[in-house]
Amino acid sequence: MIGLNAGQVFGFSEDDRRERLLWRNPDGRGGWFIDINDDCAVPLCRGRAEIEELLAEGVLTECADPWLESGKALTEKQAARRDEAWEAIRPIAMAQPESFDPHRRAKLIQQRAAETGITRQTLYRLLRRWWQRGMTPAALTPDYANSGAPGQRKPDRGVKRGAPVRYGPQGLNADDRVRAAFRDTVTRYLARNRKLDITDCYHKCLELHFSDLVINEQTGRQEPVLRQIHPSLRQFRYWLEQDNDLFALARKRHTPRVYDKDSRAILGTSLDEVIGPGSRYQIDATVADIYLVSRLDRRKIVGRPVIYVAIDVFSRMIAGLYVGLEGPSWVGAMMALANAAGPKAAWCGDFGVEITEADWPCHSLPSVLLADRGEMLGPAADTLIQRFGIRVENAAPYRADWKGIVERRFGLIHKAFGPYVPGFIEPDFRERGGDYRLDATLDLDEFTALIINIVLYYNNQHLLTGYPRDPRMIAEGVNTVPIELWDWGIQHRTGMQRSYPEELVRLSLLPADEATVTAQGIRFYGCYYSCAHAIEEHWFEKARQTRTWKVPISYEPRRMDRIWLRDPKGRAPFIPCDLTPRNDTMRGRTLWEIDQLRQEDRRQKAQHAPTQRQGRIDLTRRIEEITRAAEARRPDDDRSKAARLRDIRANRAEERAANRPGEAFDLRPERGDPGTVLPFGKTPPPPADDYSLPDIDSIRRHLAERDESRDGDRDDD
């Protein structure tokens, strides 16, 4: 009995029975117990030997008190009923241990019933509740949670349940048939059409299940007519909540990705998976809500810039920044990561913002990078993994909440400059009228300087709200300012930063692709490149003599004068390759411009292709016509093959002689009638040698030999 106190609850291992110790005899001979789960229980006396034996055998063990709970807030009416119950049984409850004995208890209850007018059954019930629930005034609080028989179907006694209807039809009880109609409409319409609200779904239910088709005498068509007795909208709403999983219904109506983004439970924080500064960066882009003008001609509007931000999750420091006109793509992400890896003082100085390294100490790459699927999904991100050992994570589609930190920074940046900068896009610009694009004033350099100043403010002065500081931060007085969190994390948390040469980072982050080694050079997007390494290794000779092959390269899409050969394993240095002279016209052009030229070339070839095909058809037709005409003029020749082939040379000479008058150039200025030749004496006989006109090839050879002989004579002189 040592260690046992009144009010303790003990459970029996043999069954689910639990008993409460109501009274411990002062002489240690035992005590009084009561079963806390039995609605007809009465106090039971157990001796000391029995209790010790049950405890020793492990049959009786102490267990949790199911009625031990914090006091609930009660209304005045509920508190009054509790106090009335306590006043009714207080003389009996305080008469211990006499009230435990059944005979004495009966007399006490009989006496109290006569005094108060309360029935003996009520007094027994209140006294039993007092003992079973802990012997405190709170034990007498009525079980309001059980009012109305929650979870139980109300019986249908042929009358309308609920409050009587004052106006309109009396309605009907929602039985199984009505509830099935509700569920059918919810499943077919409300769950599939998010534009449909509950009221519309209710009316659809009335049309389908509580209307009769009646022929309209005027039109002769069947039309649904609502029955006089039909369920109410309130009934539809009630059973919608009772018979359906509202969260699953909302998830289906709004699609899982939208539900997970906007309505899911948020139990963790972004700090759950980070150790210190540099553990994890989040990177994202947004199109700024402002229009800019050209730096070359401020009269020209160049559109809206793109802002890329890489932010450290632990400290909320903006570690990398890019402001430019490159759309959200790998190129913009590359610039932001290169900015994160390099020092910031010189870069800020280019825009007229003078800072020290202490003002922006981030010049490293993270261990984990969380980004969108667009920029980091593909071979372009392999360099981050292979060369720098960064684990790249991609957020699921339409899950901007996975990058909530960087997404929130965009809102703060826009809020900072929006009210003060002309050309800013107001949310209600359609209602206000006018064209905000005409207000554009800043150029890209000025806007970049503006964003740099905003970033410096949020990094060095902005106090974060809701940042969960650990006790050590609080003890050391670390404010939730990003620069202080960064410095504290560098000193007290494990260092996860990775620093690399800025030039190496820039080259490594360039977009990667494959080029083809050909006999003309390294071909990429129709342009040919060469380098000393390829010439020394005889790449181009091998490509001409054997076959072409692919090599990995990196390129700067904004200027394609040079590409870089890269080692597939990421170990060897980058080798620059320049354009060959055959592509001098492509110098200074961007990849987009080169691609546009190639597309224009293909377009022109495609446009000319029908003309070429038609010309080839006409050519074939003319060849066939000429051939057929020649075959028609071909005479029959019964000579032998040898006879026909014997005189080819003589026939050629004869044909050549016949062609010469027509082929000879007549360079005389005028042509008249030929003069009369007067003979002088007797015509001499022809010489024995053949002085006929030689052919053109013989004349050219003779002239060449004569020129060579003249050159020899000059040399002798």
Side-chain angles (χ1 to χ4, degrees):
M1 291 293 294
I2 299 176
L4 300 185
N5 298 313
Q8 285 182 292
V9 178
F10 298 89
F12 288 81
S13 59
E14 299 175 349
D15 49 28
D16 296 334
R17 184 159 46 97
R18 289 175 295 180
E19 293 184 357
R20 184 187 301 277
L21 178 59
L22 301 178
W23 177 268
R24 177 184 173 186
N25 291 328
D27 55 4
R29 290 181 301 172
W32 292 87
F33 292 79
I34 189 171
D35 191 333
I36 65 175
N37 295 325
D38 188 358
D39 294 337
C40 299
V42 293
L44 173 65
C45 182
R46 295 186 181 275
R48 176 176 180 178
E50 179 185 3
I51 296 174
E52 292 179 350
E53 181 180 358
L54 293 174
L55 292 173
E57 294 178 355
V59 177
L60 188 67
T61 57
E62 185 178 1
C63 62
D65 188 352
W67 297 103
L68 185 61
E69 60 182 11
S70 59
K72 297 181 180 180
L74 303 178
T75 64
E76 295 182 359
K77 183 178 180 180
Q78 293 171 345
R81 294 193 59 182
R82 178 201 60 194
D83 296 340
E84 291 176 0
W86 168 240
E87 290 296 330
I89 66 168
R90 183 174 60 174
I92 307 173
M94 300 303 295
Q96 295 179 352
E98 291 82 0
S99 59
F100 300 140
D101 181 81
H103 300 288
R104 296 181 179 180
R105 182 172 60 250
K107 294 181 180 180
L108 292 173
I109 289 179
Q110 182 69 25
Q111 181 181 354
R112 190 59 180 168
E115 294 175 355
T116 60
I118 302 175
T119 62
R120 295 169 52 252
Q121 291 79 4
T122 301
L123 294 175
Y124 269 114
R125 178 173 53 82
L126 293 176
L127 186 61
R128 184 180 296 110
R129 178 182 295 179
W130 159 269
W131 285 330
Q132 290 179 328
R133 300 188 180 186
M135 299 179 292
T136 63
L140 298 176
T141 302
D143 294 329
Y144 293 105
N146 296 332
S147 300
Q152 300 181 14
R153 290 285 308 276
K154 306 299 186 294
D156 189 355
R157 298 184 174 87
V159 295
K160 175 67 174 64
R161 294 189 295 266
V165 179
R166 295 184 179 182
Y167 310 102
Q170 293 299 315
L172 76 167
N173 291 324
D175 55 13
D176 294 338
R177 180 183 61 83
V178 174
R179 293 171 61 185
F182 291 167
R183 290 193 298 268
D184 174 70
T185 311
V186 169
T187 304
R188 291 170 55 188
Y189 296 96
L190 189 63
R192 298 181 181 180
N193 188 355
R194 61 179 180 180
K195 298 180 181 179
L196 197 72
D197 59 13
I198 296 178
T199 303
D200 294 334
C201 185
Y202 165 71
H203 290 114
K204 195 68 178 178
C205 179
L206 296 182
E207 176 187 352
L208 296 177
H209 299 282
F210 300 95
S211 299
D212 298 321
L213 293 177
V214 178
I215 298 178
N216 190 330
E217 297 180 355
Q218 297 179 354
T219 61
R221 298 179 179 179
Q222 287 185 336
E223 297 179 356
V225 176
L226 183 63
R227 300 170 190 167
Q228 184 177 5
I229 300 178
H230 56 268
S232 64
L233 177 60
R234 185 174 180 179
Q235 286 178 307
F236 183 82
R237 291 180 181 275
Y238 174 80
W239 290 111
L240 172 66
E241 298 177 0
Q242 297 296 319
D243 292 346
N244 297 275
D245 187 343
L246 298 182
F247 300 104
L249 182 63
R251 184 181 179 87
K252 186 180 296 185
R253 278 172 56 84
H254 299 288
T255 71
R257 65 168 179 259
V258 175
Y259 181 85
D260 292 339
K261 178 175 68 73
D262 299 332
S263 304
R264 66 180 178 87
I266 303 177
L267 303 179
T269 66
S270 298
L271 298 177
D272 294 342
E273 299 180 358
V274 298
I275 303 174
S279 296
R280 180 185 294 267
Y281 282 3
Q282 292 181 4
I283 186 170
D284 201 4
T286 187
V287 180
D289 294 337
I290 188 175
Y291 273 79
L292 304 180
V293 297
S294 173
R295 291 175 294 184
L296 305 177
D297 185 355
R298 302 186 74 91
R299 295 174 299 177
K300 296 180 179 180
I301 301 173
V302 297
R304 300 165 62 182
V306 175
I307 304 176
Y308 254 100
V309 168
I311 189 170
D312 176 60
V313 173
F314 175 82
S315 63
R316 307 299 200 264
M317 279 279 287
I318 296 179
L321 178 67
Y322 166 71
V323 182
L325 300 179
E326 299 293 342
S329 62
W330 170 256
V331 177
M334 170 189 70
M335 298 297 294
L337 289 175
N339 180 264
K344 308 297 191 299
W347 177 71
C348 292
D350 294 339
F351 299 97
V353 182
E354 301 298 331
I355 65 170
T356 63
E357 289 298 327
D359 296 327
W360 202 345
C362 308
H363 48 81
S364 60
L365 293 177
S367 298
V368 181
L369 181 65
L370 177 61
D372 280 329
R373 296 169 60 87
E375 296 91 342
M376 300 296 173
L377 191 64
D382 291 344
T383 301
L384 296 175
I385 301 172
Q386 297 180 9
R387 184 172 289 271
F388 302 114
I390 298 176
R391 188 171 83 245
V392 178
E393 297 179 353
N394 290 287
Y398 302 96
R399 293 306 303 273
D401 55 313
W402 288 13
K403 301 184 279 64
I405 296 176
V406 67
E407 294 285 351
R408 178 55 182 160
R409 277 295 172 272
F410 290 138
L412 295 176
I413 290 174
H414 282 94
K415 185 178 180 180
F417 73 82
Y420 312 104
V421 179
F424 183 74
I425 304 173
E426 298 288 348
D428 57 345
F429 69 93
R430 296 184 183 275
E431 301 175 4
R432 300 175 63 175
D435 196 337
Y436 49 84
R437 294 172 293 185
L438 300 175
D439 298 332
T441 304
L442 300 180
D443 61 18
L444 184 59
D445 289 346
E446 294 167 342
F447 183 70
T448 303
L450 183 147
I451 296 299
I452 290 175
N453 281 280
I454 294 175
V455 170
L456 291 173
Y457 163 73
Y458 281 114
N459 280 353
N460 295 277
Q461 285 92 29
H462 180 66
L463 189 69
L464 302 174
T465 58
Y467 185 92
R469 289 189 297 173
D470 63 19
R472 191 172 180 182
M473 289 182 183
I474 299 175
E476 297 182 11
V478 178
N479 295 317
T480 55
V481 177
I483 187 66
E484 295 190 29
L485 296 173
W486 176 278
D487 293 339
W488 186 89
I490 294 296
Q491 296 177 7
H492 299 89
R493 295 292 182 91
T494 178
M496 302 299 292
Q497 301 181 91
R498 302 184 179 189
S499 298
Y500 299 93
E502 185 177 3
E503 186 67 20
L504 175 63
V505 174
R506 290 182 178 273
L507 288 175
S508 300
L509 293 178
L510 288 175
D513 208 330
E514 286 187 339
T516 305
V517 179
T518 68
Q520 294 80 23
I522 302 174
R523 186 179 68 234
F524 182 66
Y525 266 85
C527 298
Y528 291 88
Y529 300 83
S530 179
C531 62
H533 175 75
I535 295 175
E536 293 173 359
E537 297 292 331
H538 303 283
W539 281 11
F540 309 131
E541 289 88 343
K542 293 178 183 178
R544 184 175 184 182
Q545 298 173 17
T546 57
R547 59 180 178 81
T548 62
W549 70 91
K550 302 286 187 180
V551 291
I553 59 101
S554 293
Y555 63 95
E556 171 55 80
R558 291 164 293 184
R559 189 177 181 88
M560 294 297 294
D561 294 356
R562 173 176 289 183
I563 63 174
W564 290 265
L565 291 174
R566 56 192 301 167
D567 183 5
K569 297 181 180 179
R571 298 175 182 175
F574 292 84
I575 301 176
C577 302
D578 295 315
L579 280 171
T580 60
R582 68 183 299 165
N583 290 117
D584 282 341
T585 57
M586 297 298 178
R587 295 190 184 278
R589 297 187 182 274
T590 65
L591 180 62
W592 182 85
E593 292 172 335
I594 293 175
D595 185 63
Q596 291 298 308
L597 291 174
R598 295 180 67 197
Q599 292 184 18
E600 179 63 20
D601 181 62
R602 295 192 186 101
R603 184 187 64 81
Q604 293 179 3
K605 290 180 179 179
Q607 288 181 345
H608 184 70
T611 303
Q612 179 181 357
R613 298 189 188 103
Q614 183 62 45
R616 187 59 182 268
I617 294 173
D618 296 340
L619 174 62
T620 304
R621 179 176 51 80
R622 287 193 293 268
I623 292 174
E624 292 175 348
E625 291 175 354
I626 295 173
T627 302
R628 285 194 298 268
E631 290 177 348
R633 292 192 298 267
R634 182 176 182 178
D636 296 333
D637 193 349
D638 55 356
R639 292 181 300 169
S640 65
K641 295 180 180 179
R644 294 177 61 189
L645 299 174
R646 185 180 301 122
D647 299 327
I648 291 180
R649 182 172 295 180
N651 296 338
R652 178 183 178 87
E654 181 182 355
E655 187 72 17
R656 186 170 58 239
N659 288 338
R660 281 172 182 167
E663 294 177 352
F665 294 155
D666 187 1
L667 303 179
R668 292 176 297 177
E670 295 181 358
R671 292 187 180 183
D673 295 335
T676 303
V677 179
L678 299 176
F680 290 91
K682 192 175 181 178
T683 303
D689 295 335
D690 183 11
Y691 291 101
S692 60
L693 186 66
D695 57 45
I696 298 300
D697 292 337
S698 300
I699 295 174
R700 294 178 62 189
R701 285 196 300 271
H702 172 71
L703 294 175
E705 292 173 357
R706 186 182 64 181
D707 293 340
E708 291 178 358
S709 63
R710 289 179 179 177
D711 294 339
D713 294 340
R714 293 193 188 96
D715 295 339
D716 294 339
D717 294 341

